[in-house]
Amino acid sequence: MRICFFILISVVLYSPRVLEAQDTVITIDAAVSRSLAQRPELAMQESRIERARGMKTTDGAIPNPEFSYYREDLSQGGLSTGESTIMFDQPLDFLWRRGPRLASSSARVLREQHNYTNIERRLAYDVRAAFLECHYAGRIHLLCTEAEAEISRIRNDMRSRYEKGDISLFEMNRMELEYARYTNACGQTSLDAANAYKRLMFFLGEQSKQQLQTSFDDGQIVSLPALDELLAATMPNRPDLLAAHATLDEHRAVVKETGRNRLPGLILGMGYKRQIGRYRGPVFQARLSLPLFDLKKGELISTRADMNYSTRMVELLENEIALEIEEAYNSCVRYTEMLAQSSSSLTTSSAQVLKAAYVSYRTGEVSLVELLDAVEVYIESRRFYYDLQQRYFQSVYALERASGRSIIH
């Protein structure tokens, strides 16, 4: 009975801690999902989409009819006469103006929707870049902490040897300077890691004081598709290009609407008229506005200029996207080759060199300068490998941003 009670208490006390420890680990995909769920940019763009939908509803509405009542009461010399008329007027020019106006509003809604997707694309890349920066800044800081501990161990050993008279004052002073240099470098990497973490928290919107730990599989090498395949698949699906095409469609519809506005306006009225003398019956009325002075000519020139501008913008954006994809693809291929050449065995061999140099220094086979060079080679080789990994994955995510398709998964 006591054993069961002890197990129950253990589960109650330690289970929350295990769950809390699990909650502190975050992956790059989880960071992107969490960021997209609460970023204000997306909420602001949703407001723009709703605004465009409201304008579309207004532009697609049929104009309301107009009601009018007219009455005359006339008298002279004891004689009186008069009439009363009830009329309902309905504008009919919406029959040739509503279609282009509705097409323009529909293109505006589509443009804002593509802009929403484009914001998601850019935000996802920014979050991934911040995540990689935070992840590798932490690893580099851990490396510098290990290097500082190694230098401190060598420094303490040299102090004991200096007290015994085995090394000179010059070597001891040199060691103190190296220790101070590594201490300052460790402080700088600590600041860089803290700033990178704050930037990641900016995207995640974390307000709690719970420290998050990044988890990333940096041992994967991505198989890249062909460049022509990427270019062919990107152009029909790139959201900013689709938004530019929607803007062009909107301007084309506006040009068509402006041309329709140059046509005569028509209002048709129907009603009932009653006169004194028992004259009464239905009446009909048609009013036609004649465009004698072509007041829409300047507006048509302006809308055509906007359409031509949008056409050139689409062509320019297509060229920029093709260049962006090619540059990102070349960078990704190059970093893939560099990462394959600089495998993790480089850091293993540098660690072996450091260990051998330390043993040789203790036996007097190498000098202090050679030992410090071995420490420097060990640190720089690992730092170079971490930096290369970060650049490689950033290039992959940059290619994903440029192509608008998932590559690393």
Side-chain angles (χ1 to χ4, degrees), residues 290-349:
L290 300 179
L292 297 179
F293 302 104
D294 197 7
L295 301 180
K296 297 293 183 178
K297 182 178 180 180
E299 184 178 351
L300 183 60
I301 295 174
S302 177
T303 54
R304 283 177 177 172
D306 292 337
M307 184 184 67
N308 294 332
Y309 177 85
S310 297
T311 303
R312 301 294 182 270
M313 181 60 66
V314 168
E315 296 174 355
L316 177 61
L317 187 57
E318 288 177 347
N319 295 331
E320 290 179 349
I321 290 175
L323 178 61
E324 181 184 359
I325 293 176
E326 188 173 356
E327 289 179 347
Y329 187 86
N330 293 334
S331 298
C332 192
V333 170
R334 180 54 181 161
Y335 283 125
T336 302
E337 296 173 352
M338 295 174 61
L339 191 61
Q341 295 173 358
S342 303
S343 61
S344 59
S345 60
L346 178 65
T347 60
T348 304
S349 60

Side-chain angles (χ1 to χ4, degrees), residues 174-408:
R174 174 64 186 274
M175 188 67 247
E176 294 292 345
L177 292 175
E178 289 294 330
Y179 177 74
R181 184 170 71 89
Y182 278 99
T183 302
N184 293 334
C186 188
Q188 181 62 45
T189 57
S190 176
L191 177 61
D192 295 340
N195 290 336
Y197 182 81
K198 289 181 180 179
R199 177 171 175 80
L200 180 60
M201 291 301 102
F202 168 78
F203 286 107
L204 296 181
E206 282 292 320
Q207 301 296 331
S208 63
K209 298 181 180 180
Q210 187 179 22
Q211 189 77 10
L212 294 179
Q213 181 181 358
T214 58
S215 175
F216 184 70
D217 182 13
D218 52 11
Q220 52 186 330
I221 299 295
V222 180
S223 178
L224 297 178
L227 179 58
D228 295 337
E229 178 184 349
L230 277 178
L231 290 172
T234 297
M235 293 304 178
N237 300 312
R238 177 80 177 245
D240 53 347
L241 184 58
L242 293 176
H245 279 290
T247 302
L248 178 58
D249 293 338
E250 178 187 359
H251 288 159
R252 287 172 177 169
V254 170
V255 170
K256 190 175 182 179
E257 178 187 357
T258 305
R260 297 283 180 88
N261 290 337
R262 301 173 73 185
L263 298 177
L266 176 62
I267 299 178
L268 182 63
M270 300 178 60
Y272 186 81
K273 185 174 183 178
R274 179 180 178 180
Q275 288 182 329
I276 295 178
R278 297 183 179 180
Y279 296 102
R280 65 190 64 187
V283 293
F284 299 92
Q285 177 180 312
R287 296 201 302 269
L288 192 68
S289 60
L290 300 179
L292 297 179
F293 302 104
D294 197 7
L295 301 180
K296 297 293 183 178
K297 182 178 180 180
E299 184 178 351
L300 183 60
I301 295 174
S302 177
T303 54
R304 283 177 177 172
D306 292 337
M307 184 184 67
N308 294 332
Y309 177 85
S310 297
T311 303
R312 301 294 182 270
M313 181 60 66
V314 168
E315 296 174 355
L316 177 61
L317 187 57
E318 288 177 347
N319 295 331
E320 290 179 349
I321 290 175
L323 178 61
E324 181 184 359
I325 293 176
E326 188 173 356
E327 289 179 347
Y329 187 86
N330 293 334
S331 298
C332 192
V333 170
R334 180 54 181 161
Y335 283 125
T336 302
E337 296 173 352
M338 295 174 61
L339 191 61
Q341 295 173 358
S342 303
S343 61
S344 59
S345 60
L346 178 65
T347 60
T348 304
S349 60
S350 62
Q352 295 174 353
V353 170
L354 175 61
K355 184 177 180 180
Y358 183 72
V359 174
S360 300
Y361 177 76
R362 291 296 303 270
T363 59
E365 297 179 7
V366 298
S367 63
L368 174 62
V369 175
E370 293 172 321
L371 174 61
L372 296 177
D373 288 341
V375 175
E376 188 74 17
V377 168
Y378 170 72
I379 295 173
E380 291 301 322
S381 62
R382 292 187 62 182
R383 188 165 188 164
F384 170 78
Y385 186 69
Y386 290 155
D387 182 69
L388 184 59
Q389 280 185 323
Q390 179 181 353
R391 291 177 182 272
Y392 167 71
F393 286 109
Q394 282 181 342
S395 68
V396 173
Y397 288 125
L399 185 58
E400 284 191 353
R401 179 189 62 177
S403 61
R405 57 180 293 185
S406 179
I407 296 176
I408 199 169

